[in-house]
Amino acid sequence: MNAARHDRRSVVECALRLLDEVGLPDLSMRRLASELDVQPSALYWHFVNKQSLLAAVADRILDAVPEPDADWTVAATARAIRDALLAYRDGAEVVMSTYALRLGARRAQAALVASLGGAGTDAATADAAFEFILGHVTLLQQRMHAQSIGAVDADAADPTANADEVFEAGVAAFAALSASRRRV
């Protein structure tokens, strides 16, 4: 089979479906190629390596985040990012791996900058807020995975028990930090 019958979008959509089915550790180029009924080398027609594929997957995950808008509150933007990450198995891990290499997540970053105060917001505050969201969702997804495979001791304390309160407190702290930095 040739790669011409698939485009970047169809490859990313298949990768997202596989991500939900098997998780990030088992999302290989070989498995993806098999699912698409092509040779693994055909995927490199669309993506130079697996990391560039994951960057496209991360951007697709974050497509659910609204366009950057100064009228959006920090809390609404943070919730939209959290919800987008939670919509896919291992969503936070995929986005975190590409964000670490600065290959993706630009839309989420721009949305955070806009909601934190626009051009007057320093990049460090937006980065810190995004990293908080990524870490928070990674914790939730790790806990959900552990529970799904029965790896959680029934007597163990649940670090996600107050997840919504912790999330809202963290987002409020970043909003307050951003506001105080703009006043200086």
Side-chain angles (χ1 to χ4, degrees):
M1 302 264 160
N2 73 38
R5 67 184 191 123
H6 295 288
D7 59 9
R8 284 178 63 91
R9 185 193 58 74
S10 68
V11 173
V12 169
E13 290 301 319
C14 185
L16 277 167
R17 187 175 49 72
L18 279 175
L19 181 66
D20 269 343
E21 290 174 12
V22 301
L24 183 58
D26 292 324
L27 176 60
S28 66
M29 295 297 264
R30 184 172 305 281
R31 178 174 252 155
L32 180 59
S34 175
E35 195 72 21
L36 292 168
D37 196 27
V38 298
Q39 292 296 316
S41 60
L43 296 175
Y44 297 100
W45 178 260
H46 302 293
F47 299 97
V48 296
N49 54 36
K50 184 177 179 182
Q51 202 57 48
S52 67
L53 167 67
L54 290 178
V57 169
D59 285 341
R60 174 62 183 78
I61 288 170
L62 293 170
D63 276 352
V65 176
E67 287 292 326
D69 185 342
D71 292 334
W72 265 63
T73 66
V74 177
T77 302
R79 283 187 212 108
I81 294 168
R82 177 195 60 194
D83 294 347
L85 297 172
L86 285 170
Y88 295 96
R89 178 177 175 181
D90 298 334
E93 190 175 350
V94 170
V95 172
M96 188 180 299
S97 72
T98 61
Y99 170 75
L101 301 174
R102 295 294 197 226
L103 295 175
R106 287 177 187 83
R107 183 178 183 144
Q109 288 292 99
L112 279 169
V113 167
S115 67
L116 284 165
T121 301
D122 66 286
T125 302
D127 283 348
F130 190 55
E131 291 168 20
F132 165 75
I133 296 165
L134 286 169
H136 181 81
V137 175
T138 298
L139 178 70
L140 293 175
Q141 289 182 323
Q142 291 292 319
R143 180 65 181 206
M144 289 186 296
H145 177 68
Q147 287 173 320
S148 75
I149 63 171
V152 175
D153 183 352
D155 295 330
D158 182 357
T160 64
N162 299 321
D164 288 340
E165 291 174 47
V166 169
F167 185 78
E168 295 299 328
V171 170
F174 285 110
L177 174 64
S178 181
S180 71
R181 285 186 166 189
R182 282 193 313 272
R183 284 192 295 258
V184 176

